[in-house]
Amino acid sequence: MCLKNIINITNTCLEIGYWPIHFKTSITIVIPKPNKVSYDTLKSFRSIILLNMLGKLVKKFIGDRLQFHMISNNFIHQSQLSSLKFKFTSDASITLIHFICMEWVRNLSTSTLAFDISQFFSSLNHCLLTLILEKVGFDSRIVKFFSNYLIGRKTQYFWNSFSSLFFNVDVGVRQGLALSPILSALYLASFLHILENHLKNLKIPVSILSFINNGLLVTQSKFFLFSNSLLFCNYNIVSSLLLKFSLIVEHSKTEVFHFSRSHGLFNPLSLNISFIGGPVLYLKESWKYLDFIFNRKLSFSQHIDFYFNKVISTVKYIKILGNSVRGLIPHQKCLLYRSYILPIALYSFQLWYYNRAPLSYLLKILGKM
């Protein structure tokens, strides 16, 4: 009976194109982050948003149906590897490794340029988002519903014993809400389709991978100087096109990395993007992307060392949880080790394998555990 009433509420909201005011009201709890030197900046605090539980459940239903409809009708661009169910960070990295290894067979090196969209969720334009929903062919009632859903949102801030008045928060889509991932994916899909057409018309051989607000430009060539010129050209196009979507690239977080199996001197030229507001990008020994640590030969030695040390420091704290007299018994410690420690040690182990990968060396390191 309860489920039937929730479904009726959901159908009614979509039918009349209205999102109740009660579901738009939230409470934001401000919590200071631990171990900060000073608390005079906003980054030193974390905000937790409390929403109406029934509203969250209804949005979950709508989000699931919306995602199914978008995927079944090919609204999502093939390079989008996030904001959807069954899409993980490992999917993006596996795709990247596939690009690299396929080009190594052809004796080509791969160059990548990673960029970050600043304040992504809060920068989505409401008018453009509703226009996109209309252009892709959604029913007018659905477009009307989201037009109403995006406006009139209010929140009240609580900080210790202090409570504020209600403030309007009609900016973008809030990160962490049930509908935010799928709406942001649809917003970016339009950008990616337009970008793909631009690159085809200009005949620029550059691929792009998208993971939420992180973009990755990928190109292959025998000469890094040529790769740098392609990346620079495409990065300029991406930055200009994103501005038309009310999105801004955070140039300070832009990184360039080259993959090569060369055994000789490896010293590619830096990439200067200062002409479009960015810094000079210098080559690094390793590159951290989506919590995976890459080196130019895909040996994953730095990645293994990092997570191996993380596991060792975690294991040292297990003894605090119990001894032979009280606390966790050995069986419980073993269960904790298998359910928590091993996933850290084997994080992204799917990426380790490729032709001629030094798996025996990596397994020896794990064997020391």
Side-chain angles (χ1 to χ4, degrees):
M1 187 65 181
C2 182
L3 179 60
K4 184 178 180 180
N5 290 333
I6 294 175
I7 294 175
N8 289 334
I9 293 174
T10 305
N11 291 333
T12 303
C13 289
L14 295 174
E15 188 69 28
I16 65 176
Y18 177 75
W19 186 241
I21 297 294
H22 190 64
F23 293 160
K24 296 181 181 181
T25 304
S26 63
I27 294 175
T28 303
I29 310 297
V30 180
I31 300 176
K33 295 180 181 179
N35 304 323
K36 293 292 182 180
V37 178
S38 63
Y39 292 90
D40 55 355
T41 61
L42 293 177
K43 291 184 178 181
S44 300
F45 299 89
R46 179 181 289 108
S47 60
I48 299 177
I49 302 174
L50 305 180
L51 298 167
N52 182 277
M53 290 300 297
L54 179 58
K56 291 175 66 175
L57 189 58
V58 172
K59 284 190 288 186
K60 185 69 174 176
F61 287 159
I62 297 174
D64 288 346
R65 296 301 302 168
L66 184 63
Q67 175 172 312
F68 174 80
H69 184 72
M70 288 171 58
I71 294 177
S72 60
N73 289 277
N74 296 320
F75 294 157
I76 300 298
H77 194 271
Q78 60 182 358
S79 67
Q80 289 181 272
L81 300 173
S82 65
S83 301
L84 305 170
K85 285 187 175 181
F86 311 113
K87 295 291 185 180
F88 308 100
T89 55
S90 57
D91 296 321
S93 297
I94 289 173
T95 304
L96 173 60
I97 290 178
H98 174 73
F99 285 160
I100 296 170
C101 295
M102 289 296 293
E103 298 308 316
W104 278 354
V105 174
R106 300 166 53 193
N107 292 321
L108 297 178
S109 298
T110 300
S111 300
T112 61
L113 187 145
F115 62 91
D116 187 85
I117 301 175
S118 178
Q119 302 295 320
F120 173 61
F121 287 96
S122 60
S123 300
L124 302 188
N125 186 284
H126 290 173
C127 294
L128 181 55
L129 182 56
T130 53
L131 180 62
I132 292 173
L133 289 168
E134 183 179 349
K135 288 294 184 180
V136 297
F138 280 105
D139 188 272
S140 59
R141 291 170 296 180
I142 303 298
V143 177
K144 182 181 178 181
F145 167 79
F146 280 105
S147 298
N148 184 268
Y149 165 81
L150 293 169
I151 62 174
R153 291 174 292 166
K154 296 182 178 181
T155 190
Q156 184 180 19
Y157 292 93
F158 282 83
W159 186 359
N160 294 330
S161 58
F162 169 79
S163 60
S164 71
L165 300 175
F166 279 96
F167 291 91
N168 291 326
V169 285
D170 292 340
V171 179
V173 295
R174 279 195 163 186
Q175 185 176 1
L177 301 185
L179 287 174
S180 297
I182 194 62
L183 289 176
S184 62
L186 182 61
Y187 195 92
L188 267 186
S190 303
F191 159 76
L192 292 171
H193 283 296
I194 295 174
L195 176 63
E196 185 180 45
N197 292 332
H198 273 39
L199 298 181
K200 284 183 179 179
N201 293 334
L202 295 173
K203 297 181 180 180
I204 300 178
V206 174
S207 303
I208 185 169
L209 297 178
S210 173
F211 194 89
I212 310 179
N213 62 324
N214 295 300
L216 186 68
L217 305 177
V218 184
T219 184
Q220 292 86 21
S221 174
K222 288 186 177 181
F223 306 102
F224 290 115
L225 182 61
F226 181 64
S227 297
N228 279 352
S229 62
L230 290 177
L231 292 176
F232 175 84
C233 181
N234 195 56
Y235 184 70
N236 190 18
I237 294 173
V238 168
S239 301
S240 302
L241 187 58
L242 282 174
L243 281 176
K244 297 181 180 180
F245 279 77
S246 303
L247 300 174
I248 300 175
V249 174
E250 194 167 353
H251 295 299
S252 60
K253 293 185 178 180
T254 302
E255 297 178 299
V256 66
F257 197 80
H258 303 286
F259 295 89
S260 174
R261 292 189 297 180
S262 173
H263 297 286
L265 181 64
F266 183 75
N267 189 25
L269 296 175
S270 59
L271 177 58
N272 187 359
I273 58 174
S274 59
F275 301 102
I276 52 179
V280 179
L281 305 177
Y282 296 98
L283 182 68
K284 298 180 179 179
E285 291 294 330
S286 61
W287 172 49
K288 191 172 185 179
Y289 176 65
L290 301 178
D291 285 334
F292 307 111
I293 303 175
F294 297 94
N295 57 19
R296 68 180 181 90
K297 291 188 176 183
L298 291 182
S299 66
F300 288 99
S301 55
Q302 292 93 336
H303 179 91
I304 298 295
D305 290 340
F306 175 82
Y307 284 98
F308 181 73
N309 291 328
K310 187 175 182 179
V311 163
I312 293 299
S313 61
T314 306
V315 168
K316 290 181 179 179
Y317 288 102
I318 291 183
K319 62 182 181 182
I320 302 177
L321 302 178
N323 52 40
S324 59
V325 178
R326 58 185 177 182
L328 295 183
I329 61 177
H331 174 72
Q332 292 172 333
K333 287 185 177 181
C334 180
L335 180 62
L336 179 64
Y337 179 86
R338 295 176 60 184
S339 59
Y340 183 71
I341 303 299
L342 286 182
I344 296 177
L346 297 175
Y347 180 64
S348 72
F349 71 95
Q350 304 97 323
L351 310 183
W352 300 352
Y353 177 78
Y354 65 93
N355 189 24
R356 300 177 184 176
L359 289 179
S360 58
Y361 167 73
L362 302 178
L363 293 175
K364 284 180 181 179
I365 295 178
L366 292 176
K368 296 179 182 179
M369 295 178 56

